[in-house]
């Protein structure tokens, strides 16, 4: 029992060490300059929107703040996530890491935790900036709804990070970026694919669309920016169900990525 606890503690310690190194590396790459860009973009929008849309500028500013937050987070998750493992392979530094007492699963999980921590900081900072600017321009909003939307945005970005790392394990950086963006777009439209299959009234097409829906991540569950803007946040049981879905899907993707990585020869 004691040995098992020590083993788990050692594993967790190695994962946290890898995650901490990733966090520091990404921060040093000036990724968080995007927070400044986000603040400037919202302030500029707040000044320009009254001249463009005199009656709806407050609603547009709320929509813009949530949409821009999602877009910037996605860019970081995809472009940084795909390179986390692939860069180590291309630079041959993976040889040094694998030579140490670090399992390949610990390596993958540590990379994911590190970038997820960066995304958590990014989302939290952008949420705080959005709340300040919306308050400054007296835009009506629900604090609870925005906080819930931001929390689910983090879950969505964490899931996309796992997908990006998974593709980065066995493809080039460019292909990994393209594949991850494709999964994101299809994941956003996965429910529409099911509807389209039903409208086709073709059993074969319906089976294909149902299969795609089961395989692709249902990212619409985690995209609550429109619901936050229109005060349509789902009930607590739906939120808990969707959060569990995101966690389970992320764990599944990381498990697959670890298995693929373990089969690679270096």
């Amino acid at each position: 029992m004691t040995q098992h606890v020590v083993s788990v503690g050692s594993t967790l310690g190695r994962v946290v060490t890898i995650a901490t190194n990733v966090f520091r590396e990404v921060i040093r790459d000036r990724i968080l300059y995007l927070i400044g860009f986000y603040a400037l973009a919202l302030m500029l929008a707040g000044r320009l929107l009254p001249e463009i849309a005199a009656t709806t500028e407050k609603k547009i500013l709320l929509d813009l703040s949530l949409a821009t937050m999602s877009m910037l987070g996605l860019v970081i998750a995809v472009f940084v996530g795909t390179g986390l493992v692939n860069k180590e392979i291309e630079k041959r530094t993976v040889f040094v890491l694998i030579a140490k007492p670090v399992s390949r699963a610990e390596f993958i999980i540590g990379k994911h935790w590190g970038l997820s921590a960066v995304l958590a900081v990014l989302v939290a900072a952008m949420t705080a900036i959005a709340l300040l600017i919306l308050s400054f321009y007296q835009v009506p909003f629900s604090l609870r709804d925005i906080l819930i939307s931001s929390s689910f945005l983090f879950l969505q970005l964490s899931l996309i990070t796992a997908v990006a790392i998974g593709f980065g394990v066995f493809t080039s950086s460019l292909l990994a970026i393209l594949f991850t963006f494709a999964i994101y777009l299809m994941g956003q439209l996965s429910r529409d694919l099911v509807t389209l299959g039903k409208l086709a009234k073709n059993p074969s097409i319906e089976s294909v669309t149902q299969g795609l829906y089961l395989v692709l991540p249902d990212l619409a569950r985690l995209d609550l920016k429109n619901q936050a803007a229109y005060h349509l946040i789902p009930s607590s049981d739906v939120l808990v169900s969707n959060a569990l879905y995101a966690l389970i899907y992320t764990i599944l993707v990381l498990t697959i990525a670890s298995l693929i990585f373990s089969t690679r020869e270096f």
Side-chain angles (χ1 to χ4, degrees):
M1 181 66 179
T2 304
Q3 289 181 340
H4 178 69
V5 172
V6 172
S7 176
V8 172
S10 299
T11 297
L12 183 60
R14 290 191 291 269
V15 170
V16 170
T17 299
I18 295 171
T20 302
N21 290 335
V22 171
F23 183 86
R24 291 173 178 169
E25 181 182 347
V26 175
I27 295 297
R28 281 199 299 267
D29 285 341
R30 302 174 183 176
I31 291 299
L32 296 186
Y33 279 8
L34 287 175
I35 295 174
F37 170 80
Y38 179 75
L40 288 174
L42 287 192
M43 287 189 290
L44 184 61
R47 293 294 299 273
L48 294 178
L49 283 175
E51 301 179 12
I52 300 172
T55 59
T56 60
E57 76 277 2
K58 291 184 178 181
K59 178 64 178 61
I60 294 175
L61 184 59
L62 176 57
D63 290 339
L64 183 64
S65 63
L66 297 174
T68 305
M69 192 187 307
S70 177
M71 181 188 69
L72 292 178
L74 176 65
V75 168
I76 299 301
V78 174
F79 283 92
V80 178
T82 52
L84 282 179
V85 178
N86 196 280
K87 183 170 63 175
E88 303 282 4
I89 296 173
E90 291 178 352
K91 291 183 177 180
R92 304 299 182 184
T93 52
V94 70
F95 291 109
V96 179
L97 294 169
I98 298 302
K100 295 180 179 180
V102 177
S103 73
R104 301 196 181 193
E106 291 169 354
F107 180 75
I108 294 294
I109 294 171
K111 292 287 188 180
H112 180 264
W113 283 12
L115 184 52
S116 292
V118 173
L119 290 169
V121 171
L122 189 69
V123 170
M126 289 192 294
T127 300
I129 290 169
L131 293 174
L132 287 173
I133 292 178
L134 292 173
S135 299
F136 178 80
Y137 287 106
Q138 299 181 336
V139 177
F141 63 87
S142 167
L143 176 61
R144 170 184 172 274
D145 290 355
I146 289 181
L147 291 179
I148 291 174
S149 175
S150 296
S151 299
F152 274 79
L153 172 60
F154 167 72
L155 290 176
Q156 183 188 88
L157 295 177
S158 182
L159 193 159
I160 292 298
T161 297
V163 173
I165 291 174
F167 282 124
V169 163
F170 66 90
T171 62
S172 66
S173 295
L174 178 59
L175 286 176
I177 289 170
L178 293 176
F179 289 154
T180 305
F181 270 121
I183 291 294
Y184 174 80
L185 293 174
M186 289 189 291
Q188 291 285 3
L189 300 173
S190 59
R191 294 184 181 182
D192 295 329
L193 288 174
V194 175
T195 303
L196 182 63
K198 291 179 179 179
L199 291 175
K201 297 181 179 180
N202 184 312
S204 298
I205 295 177
E206 190 170 351
S207 298
V208 170
T209 55
Q210 286 285 354
L212 287 173
Y213 178 74
L214 292 174
V215 173
L216 294 171
D218 185 3
L219 297 180
R221 291 188 177 196
L222 311 176
D223 188 352
L224 301 181
K225 57 180 181 291
N226 290 331
Q227 289 89 330
Y230 291 97
H231 310 293
L232 297 173
I233 293 294
S235 60
S236 298
D237 57 335
V238 174
L239 292 176
V240 170
S241 173
N242 291 346
L244 287 174
Y245 170 84
L247 292 173
I248 292 171
Y249 201 103
T250 300
I251 292 171
L252 178 62
V253 173
L254 289 175
T255 301
I256 294 172
S258 299
L259 291 173
I260 295 173
F261 193 49
S262 65
T263 61
R264 294 204 57 174
E265 298 293 335
F266 301 106

